[in-house]
Amino acid sequence: MNNIQLRRWLNQPIITYFFLGIQILVFIISYLFPGLIESQGAMFGPFVVYYSQYWRFITPIFIHYGLMHFAVNSIVLYFMGQRLEAMYGHMRYFFIYLLSGAAGNLLSFAFNSPGVQSAGSSTALFGLFGAFVVLGVHYKNSYAIQVLVRQFTLFIGISLLFSLFDRSIDIWGHIGGLLGGALLGNLFGLPQRLRDYSIHVRIISGIALVFLLGFCLFYGFKKYQLLV
């Protein structure tokens, strides 16, 4: 592979394709072996606390319940992920997606009723929404960014509204992902335009993110310990 081919390959949304590939593989395995993936990887607080299965803060991002759940989240990831990956770059985007998804699962772990099982990439997708909102705050004069922000803000509002009336939707996971994505968007900044991000805002965002994750972990463990 020469330099031109390598550059073309690196300009593709390779991390979005990578996440989609994992999602598809997990869905196929779940279809062939019903219950196997969900039992081992879905967000389930008791197994985190009593069996130290900490991977459950990450693995639920790639697990879906049913074809519609999988299809909708995959389509959103494909279209929105490409745009955000192009703006933030591969590595920043990689960590925004995974860490905001983990933040959503941590909030779910802390505030959902004990024993609730949840999964889905919507925690990480709401993190992407949060990162887009941060772009809208920093680049008020960019028409293209403002159009995207308005579109995704409307989607966030509708999704959160439905979450209030549909008990099958993990609203805590959505809120945690949204907060995590916004804080990570501020913390990382755009690679070519870091000067647009105040160092104080970035530091505060980093501290707030650590506090959010730490508090959810502490509160979640405390909640389950009180049940014993």
Side-chain angles (χ1 to χ4, degrees), residues 163-200:
S163 299
L164 296 175
F165 300 100
D166 188 346
R167 293 188 176 183
S168 67
I169 295 176
D170 184 3
I171 188 171
W172 289 114
H174 290 180
I175 293 173
L178 187 64
L179 290 174
L183 292 171
L184 286 160
N186 258 335
L187 177 63
F188 290 143
L190 294 184
Q192 305 301 326
R193 306 182 69 172
L194 276 178
R195 292 180 182 178
D196 296 342
Y197 291 75
S198 165
I199 185 63
H200 303 295

Side-chain angles (χ1 to χ4, degrees), residues 77-97:
L77 172 58
Y78 177 77
F79 286 104
M80 185 169 58
Q82 291 185 73
R83 293 176 175 177
L84 204 67
E85 185 173 353
M87 293 177 180
Y88 277 99
H90 303 309
M91 293 311 298
R92 282 175 170 81
Y93 170 78
F94 177 86
F95 286 111
I96 288 173
Y97 190 82

Side-chain angles (χ1 to χ4, degrees), residues 177-224:
L178 187 64
L179 290 174
L183 292 171
L184 286 160
N186 258 335
L187 177 63
F188 290 143
L190 294 184
Q192 305 301 326
R193 306 182 69 172
L194 276 178
R195 292 180 182 178
D196 296 342
Y197 291 75
S198 165
I199 185 63
H200 303 295
V201 171
R202 296 181 69 194
I203 291 173
I204 292 171
S205 296
I207 293 172
L209 179 65
V210 171
F211 175 81
L212 175 67
L213 300 182
F215 174 80
C216 288
L217 195 62
F218 171 80
Y219 186 81
F221 269 88
K222 199 71 175 177
K223 177 181 68 177
Y224 282 97

Side-chain angles (χ1 to χ4, degrees), residues 4-225:
I4 295 176
Q5 291 175 319
L6 178 62
R7 197 175 297 113
R8 286 177 180 172
W9 184 76
L10 290 175
N11 284 333
Q12 298 296 314
I14 54 177
I15 303 301
T16 296
Y17 294 157
F18 172 70
F19 288 143
L20 276 172
I22 296 177
Q23 215 160 271
I24 293 168
L25 178 62
V26 169
F27 183 77
I28 291 172
I29 295 173
S30 297
Y31 180 79
L32 295 175
F33 305 97
L36 174 64
I37 296 292
E38 291 86 345
S39 65
Q40 298 301 315
M43 182 65 245
F44 190 58
F47 284 3
V48 173
V49 175
Y50 305 130
Y51 300 104
S52 302
Q53 295 183 358
Y54 300 114
W55 62 81
R56 290 180 184 268
F57 293 125
I58 295 292
T59 52
I61 299 171
F62 304 102
I63 298 172
H64 293 88
Y65 297 120
L67 178 60
M68 185 60 69
H69 189 207
F70 164 77
V72 170
N73 283 352
S74 295
I75 290 170
V76 174
L77 172 58
Y78 177 77
F79 286 104
M80 185 169 58
Q82 291 185 73
R83 293 176 175 177
L84 204 67
E85 185 173 353
M87 293 177 180
Y88 277 99
H90 303 309
M91 293 311 298
R92 282 175 170 81
Y93 170 78
F94 177 86
F95 286 111
I96 288 173
Y97 190 82
L98 282 186
L99 292 180
S100 58
N105 288 319
L106 271 162
L107 226 74
S108 177
F109 167 69
F111 295 109
N112 267 332
S113 300
V116 169
Q117 181 174 297
S118 63
S121 60
S122 53
T123 52
L125 294 176
F126 266 80
L128 300 188
F129 297 150
F132 260 117
V133 170
V134 165
L135 288 178
V137 172
H138 285 283
Y139 304 110
K140 294 184 175 66
N141 297 322
S142 171
Y143 176 77
I145 289 178
Q146 291 302 316
V147 168
L148 289 175
V149 168
R150 282 195 293 270
Q151 290 174 350
F152 292 129
T153 300
L154 178 63
F155 185 86
I156 292 169
I158 293 173
S159 297
L160 289 176
L161 183 62
F162 276 114
S163 299
L164 296 175
F165 300 100
D166 188 346
R167 293 188 176 183
S168 67
I169 295 176
D170 184 3
I171 188 171
W172 289 114
H174 290 180
I175 293 173
L178 187 64
L179 290 174
L183 292 171
L184 286 160
N186 258 335
L187 177 63
F188 290 143
L190 294 184
Q192 305 301 326
R193 306 182 69 172
L194 276 178
R195 292 180 182 178
D196 296 342
Y197 291 75
S198 165
I199 185 63
H200 303 295
V201 171
R202 296 181 69 194
I203 291 173
I204 292 171
S205 296
I207 293 172
L209 179 65
V210 171
F211 175 81
L212 175 67
L213 300 182
F215 174 80
C216 288
L217 195 62
F218 171 80
Y219 186 81
F221 269 88
K222 199 71 175 177
K223 177 181 68 177
Y224 282 97
Q225 289 169 359

